[in-house]
Structure formats: structure tokens, C-alpha cells
Amino acid sequence: MKEIKDMTHEEIRNYLAKRAKEREVLYQKGATEEEKREAELEAYSDRRVGYCLSEAYYEDLTKDHLHNLSYEERLAKAEELNGCKFKDAKPCKDRFAPRDDFSGVSYPSQCDGRVVSVPRSPGLWSIRLHGLVLGPIIGICLLGVSMTDDSMPAWHSWLGLFLLTAFPLIMYKIGNAIRIVDAIEFNRHTGLVRTPYTLFRKPFYIPIEDLEYVVGPEVKNMRGSASMQTGYLSCRKYPEHYWFGNRIGIAGGGDTHDWSQKNRFMDITQPVNRYYYKAMEYTFKKNRNAHGNGPFPEVMKKYFDADDYQINRMEVW
């Protein structure tokens, strides 16, 4: 059998169609979960080969939506948005992580190709998480007591049923609606990072060059079966009219690999790295932006196949 590189376009199309039929037969026979995962990866790869056969795959699209501003110009833009000048922060005693450490593998944050959204920690998401866990537990307890003790008032049963059914859905919806409050926004199209809300401070804008990442200790549970990396962003400067804490916590801690990928994402001299492709395809399929509070950015839709919800271009800008 010929290798793909030696086939004509027509032969490649026939070969891909044959593989698609083989996957259909596999599903009909009742494939295992492992076989399904392999088939999905194969289908994803085949679709990409199919895109390569199209001239649109190599089309050089306009990059007018990118900022094309120097650091000094972006700093001035951030000051304009903040309504005041920047001043230098006190030197951080902790060691900063490198910006070019791409040696690790980790799950990327939410991304739509224009923005990478990272939740802060501690944040409102933690309150939602506790509500999603504790609400159903309390609901089960109330229902159990109500069914075994006739002296309990009827509203206990209704409250237990509410906590077990409607409450998690309400908390989930509220959590999605307020996700923007907790979000640290890395905006590739403006070249600026927007910090999240806190109890005493509204968000402000800052160039990524004035942010540093500090890796904290790894927190493990008592049995050692799970762990969570800690870490935070440290500002080299901050708006002079803003109250400022010395760090911005990151949910899940992040790692040096993630931090390096965010710096690469903000570099408009190169296309978006494939590290974020799956996250971008997920948000495109859901028709949601990276924050989950609005539709997918219109300017990024030209990089996706509307039927397969997959990136169909060689480069994404």
C-alpha cells in the first residue's frame, strides 16, 4: 500500500473515506471505550489531512485584529484604561519562573483564540464548588430524616428535594454567569492582561511583561494520593490609584509550562500554539467565549470548520 505522501489527492480522499467506513463498522459492532478513544483520535487526524487537501488550509488570512503595539504603547494604553499612571511595586522576594519552559505537559486554561481565561484563587468558584458538594449532601440528610421522623415539618422534605435537584443547577448557572469576576484575562488581540475583581479592588490592565509567575509549594492530601500545585502572579508595577495586594493567586496553582504557554500565546509574531487547540475547539463547539459569558468571538470563526468544530487552518492568528 502506498504511503500518504505518495498518493494523489483523489487517492487520499478515497483512503480517508475507507477509514471512515471502517470506524462506522467498529462502532456498530460495539467498540470498547479504548477503541472509541483511538477511533476519535484517528478521525481527528483524518479530518486534518482532509483540510490539508483544501487550498483554504494554507490561505494567508488578515491579521488586522492583532494589536501591533510596542511595550511602551501598550503600557500607555493600559494607563489610559486604568485612568492613572503605574508605579513600581516593592521587589518580590520569591524567585520568578522562566517564561520559556515548555518541557511539561498540563491541561490548558479556557481559550477561544483571542483570550485565555484563568480563574483566580481563592475566588467565587470555590464558593460554588462547596455549594455543589454540600447542597446535595444536606438535601439527602433532610430527606432521610423527614422519611424516618413523622414529627418533622413538611417543608424539610421540600427543602431537601430542592437542595438535591434544583439547587446544584442554580449554582452551576450562577457560577457560569459570574466566572468573569474571577477571571484573569490574557488578551492576545490587545496585548494586555486584565486582573480579576477582588473585595477591595476593581480589575486593572497591565502588559504581560510586567507580570511574573512564582511557583509555590505542592500541597498533598494526607494519604498522598492527590496533590495540587500552588502559585501566583506577581506584578512588577501597578496603578498608583489602586489598592493593591502583592500577589494574584491562580486556581489550581498552574505551573511553569502553563506560564510559558501564556507568554507564547501573547506573542503575536507567531501563530497560536497547538497547546490551546482543543480548548479553542471546545469553546467554538459550545459557541462561548473563554469566559463563558458571551458568544464565541466572530473574528476567530474563520479558522474553524463549522461542521466538525475543528481548526481547519495551518496557522491561527
Side-chain angles (χ1 to χ4, degrees), residues 304-315:
F304 294 82
D305 185 282
D307 297 321
D308 297 327
Y309 306 109
Q310 186 173 327
I311 292 174
N312 64 356
R313 304 283 177 167
M314 182 175 67
E315 296 178 334

Side-chain angles (χ1 to χ4, degrees), residues 68-126:
N68 293 319
L69 299 175
S70 66
Y71 164 73
E72 289 75 15
E73 291 171 322
R74 285 183 285 114
L75 185 65
K77 182 65 176 178
E79 290 177 339
E80 178 186 344
L81 293 171
N82 297 334
C84 61
K85 295 287 186 179
F86 279 99
K87 63 180 179 181
D88 293 333
K90 293 180 180 179
C92 180
K93 297 180 180 179
D94 297 324
R95 185 171 61 88
F96 296 144
R99 296 178 184 264
D100 56 356
D101 181 3
F102 303 106
S103 58
V105 176
S106 54
Y107 181 76
S109 308
Q110 288 296 321
C111 177
D112 56 23
R114 180 189 62 172
V115 164
V116 168
S117 177
V118 185
R120 70 181 174 94
S121 180
L124 294 177
W125 65 270
S126 58

Side-chain angles (χ1 to χ4, degrees), residues 197-247:
Y197 286 88
T198 67
L199 186 60
F200 301 106
R201 186 193 67 221
K202 64 180 181 178
F204 64 86
Y205 294 84
I206 186 171
I208 193 170
E209 292 89 339
D210 291 315
L211 283 177
E212 300 288 353
Y213 177 68
V214 177
V215 182
E218 186 177 3
V219 179
K220 297 184 178 181
N221 66 10
M222 295 182 65
R223 296 185 179 181
S225 59
S227 63
M228 184 183 73
Q229 181 64 56
T230 62
Y232 67 91
L233 295 176
S234 175
C235 296
R236 289 184 176 273
K237 54 171 61 91
Y238 62 94
E240 58 185 10
H241 292 167
Y242 283 56
W243 179 90
F244 179 75
N246 61 354
R247 61 183 63 184

Side-chain angles (χ1 to χ4, degrees), residues 21-39:
K21 289 181 180 179
E22 290 174 351
R23 285 192 295 271
E24 289 180 9
V25 173
L26 179 65
Y27 280 114
Q28 290 172 359
K29 288 182 177 180
T32 64
E33 290 300 319
E34 182 63 28
E35 288 174 332
K36 287 180 180 179
R37 281 194 293 270
E38 290 180 0

